[in-house]
Amino acid sequence: MNKKPYYITTPIYYPNSNLHLGHTYTTIVADTLKRYKKIQGYDAYFVTGTDEHGQKIQEAAQEAGKSPLEFTDGIVKTIKDLWKTLEIDYDEFVRSSDKKHEENVQEIFQKLYDKGEIYKGVYEGFYCTPCESFWTESQLDENGKCPDCHREVHKQTEESYFFKLSKYTEKIRQYYEDHPEFLLPEGSRKEMITNFLDKGLDDLSVTRTSFDWGVKVPFDDKHVVYVWIDALSCYLTGIGYGEDQEKFNHYWPAGIHLMSKEIVRFHTIIWPAMLMALDLELPKQVFAHGWILFGENATKMSKSLGNIVYAEPIIELYGIDALKYFVLREFTFGQDGSFTNEKLLQRLNFDLANDLGNLVSRTVAMVEKYNDGIVENTNVNEEIDESLKEVAVNAIENLEKHMDKLAFSYALEDIWTLVRRTNKYIDETMPWVLIKENKERLNTVLYNLIESIRIINQLLEPFLPHTVKKIEEQIGIENLGWDSAREFGLYPNGTKVEKKENLFQRLDIEKELVILGEKNQALVVQRVGKKEEVQEVEELATKPEITIEDFEKIDLKVGTVLEVSDHPKADKLFVLQVKVGPETRQVVSGIKKWYKPEDLVGKKVIVLTNLKPVKLRGVLSQGMLLAADKGEDLTMLSVLNDIEDGADIS
Ligand code: MSP
């Protein structure tokens, strides 16, 4: 363990579905980063895993008619199979249901309690089951829904233990200030400061009593530990916490936690506060990448929207390297990017088959044809060679600078700058003319081409390992080590090359669009059923059954819209005056996208009248108007026949 450690994590994924390309993205990045850091001489260690506890998984298991563990066992297997298919080189896969991990969570909880960081109280607030997040009323979105995923939240009042998160507000802010590289990209950092730290943190409810699929609080087994405390602790378990202190001390603090932006809050507010409370060092960096968006409306790829793309069909049809190249090259790390099959296929054709594939096959074929496959440097140099050599030896430095910033896409672009420069060198030197006129010069040109390919292949090593192997077979030598890319002329003179199959096939895009589309859709149907079914299952899964008594708590009435005006501070909201029997209610509603004021005035609507009044962006709302929505469509609910306003709905 003499090498410098670099500990990398992906999120600890929920095992409630098969993982899609969005999840695969983070894992491919983590794997590539590990390969890169190893090549750079680090002792890189990579942990991933599954976040198996919590209400969401318990409900999903119930729906599948299985015990939670039987349910997660099945899905964990599919996740591990996927990582195998993608040749993900992780060092540890932590299941939060592992006994050792559960013991760690209990020990951590006990420690925090003993240190006075956790106290008992009563929780009153709103819970979003899909996000496993607690919110206070003021944090809800303008429609009173989860501010993260905008789905229904449930009001909850229960006895709970609280973590004294509020006392860490300024400490965390200070940490951000002292460590500007802690949270990247900059946008995420600003968001955490304005949306959370500036508002002041509330203490965090860290136990639940309404379900039992979780780690029991060691001194009060009515309570289970909040899933996020449990899941974040997997990062400690993954490197031997509570078991192998030496290993733990070696790898902690983490070099980087990778994830997409929606879970940054947990990693850069809750997690640092927990670690401070435990007297542990904070991770060196948290990097939030963007979302892979999908489809015409560029929405986040997610199971509930039924717009999933799986990695498996892409790998089966075009290979792992093609998928890796695409996701690393196409999306600027840190920003959202939209996925389409067209873009994928075009990149495969242009960048991989044309630029790289052709360069290798043309060059090797010329060496075979013009010099019996032997690469001979005759040193008949011309000025033009210098510009090729310059681009070749500079590529590594540019790439390293980009990789320091995790700019994967730019790092690959640095390699492709050399690929394209080398292709241009073929056009400039015209070996097919040289064979007739100047065999000596031709051999130097062919040497320069092969040497350039050697450097390209060296630089490709952390990104496309299969392609690297194939190029090595064709150019007759194995890569000579990372630093060899800094020097031009290391390819051993007299080596024999051998033409093999093309690295990448050129694809008929129209034809492939059909094949790939069908394969993916078949998998979606096999795994989650048809789109519509998926949505229904998801909706149902988020709402527990209620009794008639529960329903009777809801006071719905017919109302007449008297007046509609724009909300002074929110573009999406209307402020409506609605007559409900003898009284007139002011209701703020997010329906502006679908209606003009004149469509609504005089219309009968359905009003939830006993919803606790709230201020939405400063304007009082005394109720809620009911509407039906599906995808992008929305319609207000009304009555079939005219009836006086104030009429009860039961
Ligand atoms: N269980 C929590 C994480 C706990 S970490 C201590 C969780 N799991 S998850 O299964 O929902 O995975 C979320 C992660 O999946 C994101 O942070 C991101 O890494 C990846 N992605 C899921 N959908 C994505 C996109 N559409 N685009 C990019 N990545 C996204 O949250």
Side-chain angles (χ1 to χ4, degrees), residues 337-561:
S338 66
F339 175 91
T340 66
N341 285 341
E342 284 92 332
K343 283 191 198 168
L344 166 76
L345 296 167
Q346 272 164 4
R347 283 239 178 246
L348 304 195
N349 265 0
F350 294 131
D351 299 9
L352 294 178
N354 280 6
D355 291 347
L356 179 64
N358 268 352
L359 171 66
V360 174
S361 63
R362 278 210 287 176
T363 305
V364 174
M366 286 192 291
V367 179
E368 287 194 331
K369 188 164 162 204
Y370 300 147
N371 208 40
D372 296 326
I374 305 296
V375 184
E376 264 185 298
N377 189 2
T378 43
N379 283 316
V380 183
N381 300 310
E382 288 188 9
E383 216 179 301
I384 185 134
D385 303 348
E386 291 314 307
S387 112
L388 172 73
K389 290 179 188 174
E390 198 185 314
V391 175
V393 295
N394 285 338
I396 186 166
E397 228 175 277
N398 295 335
L399 180 147
E400 284 175 339
K401 278 191 199 138
H402 282 134
M403 285 301 282
D404 281 346
K405 295 188 202 142
L406 300 183
F408 297 91
S409 176
Y410 290 98
L412 283 169
E413 183 54 28
D414 293 327
I415 305 178
W416 257 253
T417 301
L418 176 57
V419 170
R420 284 193 284 266
R421 179 65 192 87
T422 314
N423 270 321
K424 190 165 157 227
Y425 181 79
I426 301 182
D427 300 337
E428 289 166 343
T429 54
M430 294 189 287
W432 51 94
V433 174
L434 287 177
I435 179 72
K436 293 180 212 140
E437 294 173 359
N438 189 347
K439 181 78 197 298
E440 290 288 286
R441 168 69 185 151
L442 170 69
N443 272 336
T444 299
V445 164
L446 293 178
Y447 179 88
N448 288 343
L449 284 170
I450 290 285
E451 171 62 352
S452 201
I453 291 173
R454 177 193 72 77
I455 292 179
I456 290 165
N457 207 32
Q458 184 62 61
L459 300 177
L460 283 175
E461 204 168 289
F463 304 97
L464 309 181
H466 285 271
T467 307
V468 167
K469 283 269 158 296
K470 287 184 190 163
I471 295 178
E472 284 178 344
E473 282 168 16
Q474 301 209 35
I475 66 171
I477 59 158
E478 287 185 3
N479 277 342
L480 302 173
W482 189 248
D483 285 328
S484 72
R486 295 181 208 281
E487 217 177 308
F488 199 93
L490 297 181
Y491 183 81
N493 216 1
T495 308
K496 197 169 180 356
V497 300
E498 196 182 344
K499 176 92 181 65
K500 299 252 161 92
E501 219 181 78
N502 284 350
L503 296 175
F504 298 93
Q505 299 306 322
R506 234 195 107 79
L507 305 165
D508 175 339
I509 294 194
E510 291 303 312
K511 212 168 108 201
E512 295 301 320
L513 278 174
V514 176
I515 299 173
L516 179 58
E518 281 175 356
K519 253 192 194 301
N520 189 64
Q521 195 48 36
L523 205 57
V524 172
V525 170
Q526 181 197 324
R527 287 180 171 172
V528 286
K530 293 201 183 69
K531 282 185 189 175
E532 284 70 20
E533 285 169 23
V534 176
Q535 283 188 344
E536 272 160 30
V537 168
E538 284 266 317
E539 298 279 327
L540 286 176
T542 63
K543 290 183 191 167
E545 268 181 2
I546 60 165
T547 61
I548 189 71
E549 287 77 19
D550 289 329
F551 182 70
E552 273 164 7
K553 289 184 197 155
I554 296 174
D555 203 349
L556 293 170
K557 286 196 177 7
V558 176
T560 304
V561 179

Side-chain angles (χ1 to χ4, degrees), residues 11-14 20 22-23 25-26 51 228 231-232 235 259-260 262-263 267 289-292 300-301:
I12 306 297
Y13 296 102
Y14 291 128
H20 58 64
H23 306 107
Y25 179 44
T26 321
D51 179 1
W228 272 97
L232 289 161
Y235 297 146
M259 73 210 61
S260 71
E262 80 283 8
I263 59 173
H267 287 82
H289 62 75
W291 284 337
I292 297 189
K300 186 184 174 210
M301 185 180 289

